[in-house]
Amino acid sequence: MNHKILIVEDERPVREMIRFALERTGFEAQEATDGRQALAMVTDNTPDLILLDWMLPDLSGIELARRFKKDDHTRDIPIIILTARAEEDDKIVGLDAGADDYVTKPFSPRELIARIKAVIRRSSATASGEPITHKGLSLDPESHRVLAKDDSVEIGPTEFRLLQFFMSHPERVYSRGQLLDRVWGSNVYIEERTVDVHIRRLRKCLAPYGYDHFIQTVHSVGYRFSSQG
Ligand code: CA
């Protein structure tokens, strides 16, 4: 498997350090020095993952992440944001913009490669229908079963699809509209309140096993699946 990784970073020494680490691991590295170049490159040659520097000369990494996630052709490409900022608030902004993970500079090449592998593993598992597991909660797309540790969870078809979407996109906030679009499909006309109903049902399914707190309400934004904290 020769995964293509696009590095979007304006600082040449950092870019070269990353390229070296990627190639040594067997990844194929592509480089862009700013947002505009990154947008053009992604259209021509779709990468398997994007490493996005937060501070770029033209568009910020966050703005770029938002653009990639809005576009049907690029929304499923995993994104890792690189940043010198370590504040928790910035991390939340990054993840809300659609980033899959977040690496704070300075980082070791080894740490970066480990994070890249983890994100790729997660996204290819989703694509191939392999079970997805977060802290003992496991969802098997093939058998349509949800296991909490070893107990089988009773779950309706809509709640199953909702949970599958959440577990494949952990730590990101989705608005009700986005959830309708991604889980129900954009051609279906359903009121946004319907999402709340199914969220409530999903929490009820998970509550006996203590997993209901994984489905989090983000005030005035929407919902998020999080197994952290
Ligand atoms: Ca930079």
Side-chain angles (χ1 to χ4, degrees):
M1 283 191 299
N2 216 348
H3 290 292
K4 265 182 290 179
I5 316 283
L6 173 63
I7 313 161
V8 190
E9 165 68 82
D10 56 316
E11 287 157 80
R12 190 210 278 222
V14 180
R15 220 166 50 229
E16 285 177 351
M17 182 268 271
I18 296 173
R19 168 186 277 275
F20 182 73
L22 290 175
E23 290 179 343
R24 200 179 41 188
T25 315
F27 292 124
E28 191 187 314
Q30 301 172 331
E31 296 176 30
T33 55
D34 59 39
R36 244 165 277 279
Q37 199 186 355
L39 286 168
M41 285 181 74
V42 163
T43 322
D44 293 342
N45 193 355
T46 313
D48 297 297
L49 185 141
I50 303 171
L51 292 175
L52 207 48
D53 182 31
W54 182 300
M55 299 292 272
L56 292 166
D58 52 355
L59 299 165
S60 75
I62 294 304
E63 177 55 31
L64 210 47
R66 287 205 181 98
R67 289 204 192 183
F68 286 138
K69 290 299 166 185
K70 254 191 233 157
D71 188 326
D72 280 348
H73 298 291
T74 51
R75 68 158 50 140
D76 291 325
I77 306 173
I79 295 173
I80 297 179
I81 291 195
L82 309 174
T83 178
R85 310 178 183 199
E87 285 91 33
E88 199 56 19
D89 281 357
D90 290 337
K91 180 173 173 180
I92 291 165
V93 172
L95 293 169
D96 288 354
D100 293 80
D101 205 354
Y102 194 94
V103 177
T104 307
K105 292 177 181 176
F107 49 81
S108 69
R110 198 174 165 176
E111 182 196 354
L112 180 67
I113 296 295
R115 303 286 274 278
I116 291 173
K117 284 184 175 168
V119 168
I120 287 180
R121 213 179 302 124
R122 209 161 65 201
S123 76
S124 55
T126 310
S128 69
E130 282 171 41
I132 317 162
T133 302
H134 291 274
K135 298 218 171 123
L137 180 66
S138 175
L139 179 144
D140 185 352
E142 298 271 303
S143 66
H144 253 249
R145 282 179 63 188
V146 176
L147 294 177
K149 308 248 161 52
D150 291 319
D151 293 321
S152 188
V153 178
E154 286 271 339
I155 190 165
T158 305
E159 288 70 39
F160 182 89
R161 288 209 313 278
L162 192 56
L163 184 61
Q164 182 173 10
F165 178 75
F166 274 137
M167 290 179 76
S168 315
H169 303 86
E171 310 304 329
R172 290 195 212 161
V173 183
Y174 290 94
S175 67
R176 289 166 180 81
Q178 285 172 321
L179 288 171
L180 278 178
D181 190 33
R182 306 290 295 272
V183 178
W184 278 262
S186 48
N187 300 322
V188 185
Y189 179 75
I190 301 171
E191 282 183 66
E192 295 201 344
R193 259 182 319 178
T194 307
V195 175
D196 301 327
V197 173
H198 288 282
I199 290 278
R200 263 201 304 279
R201 286 191 196 154
L202 177 55
R203 282 188 180 135
K204 218 171 146 193
C205 299
L206 300 175
Y209 312 96
Y211 286 114
D212 48 319
H213 67 279
F214 281 6
I215 312 296
Q216 302 176 349
T217 302
V218 181
H219 185 62
S220 76
V221 185
Y223 297 102
R224 155 174 65 209
F225 178 93
S226 176
S227 57
Q228 328 240 298

